[in-house]
Amino acid sequence: MSIFVWTVIILLFIASFAGFIFPIVPSVLVLWAGFGLYYVGISREELSILFWIGMFVLTALMFLADFLANSYFVKKYGGSKWGEWTAVIALIAGSFIIPPFGILIVPFVAVFAVELIVLKNVKQAFFVAYATLIAFLSGTLAKVVIQLIMIGWFLAEAIL
């Protein structure tokens, strides 16, 4: 039975990375499902309180990574609040329109169009759209690193 549970946990961890290509997949919830399955199906004692506190902190950092990267880069290049919100909505829409490339193309085009309307400056609108792209890539990289730390920590606690 534990081989089956471990197989499902590993599949959940692999599936959690799909959220970086398809943002509609809640990566961190899938990851937590793996932790929960281990807790319920294998051992309630091996994961320390420090582990659970660490996972809550790292989960909060994962949520903040997108927000902070987007806010930083869009503001740095003079973007508007409309541009920030457009990027978020277009990111979700883009994952359905032409996956997986839509998460890069759709937000760029949408933010460029919105900022062109708001700022009325092609060069500035392009830079804000570019900043949105960099923000997405930076936030995603940060989330991948955090998620790998979470999985590594889990494996260290569960196996060692």
Side-chain angles (χ1 to χ4, degrees), residues 74 80-94 97 101-119 125-126 128-130 132-133:
V74 172
S80 67
K81 283 289 180 193
W82 285 101
E84 287 183 53
W85 285 106
T86 300
V88 171
I89 294 166
L91 179 67
I92 294 167
I97 295 174
F101 304 106
I103 59 176
L104 300 173
I105 297 167
V106 174
F108 181 86
V109 171
V111 169
F112 178 75
V114 166
E115 292 297 348
L116 189 58
I117 292 167
V118 172
L119 300 172
F126 176 81
V128 174
Y130 174 74
T132 301
L133 180 64

Side-chain angles (χ1 to χ4, degrees), residues 25-83:
V25 175
S27 295
V28 74
L29 293 180
V30 176
L31 194 63
W32 273 86
F35 300 156
L37 182 58
Y38 179 85
Y39 181 80
V40 171
I42 294 181
S43 174
R44 294 179 188 262
E45 289 110 26
E46 291 189 29
L47 301 176
S48 68
I49 190 70
L50 183 61
F51 168 82
W52 292 109
I53 292 169
M55 292 306 107
F56 278 110
V57 169
L58 290 171
T59 298
L61 284 175
M62 282 184 75
F63 285 115
L64 280 173
D66 271 337
F67 175 75
L68 294 175
N70 192 35
S71 183
Y72 172 77
F73 282 104
V74 172
K75 286 178 185 173
K76 180 179 178 177
Y77 285 91
S80 67
K81 283 289 180 193
W82 285 101

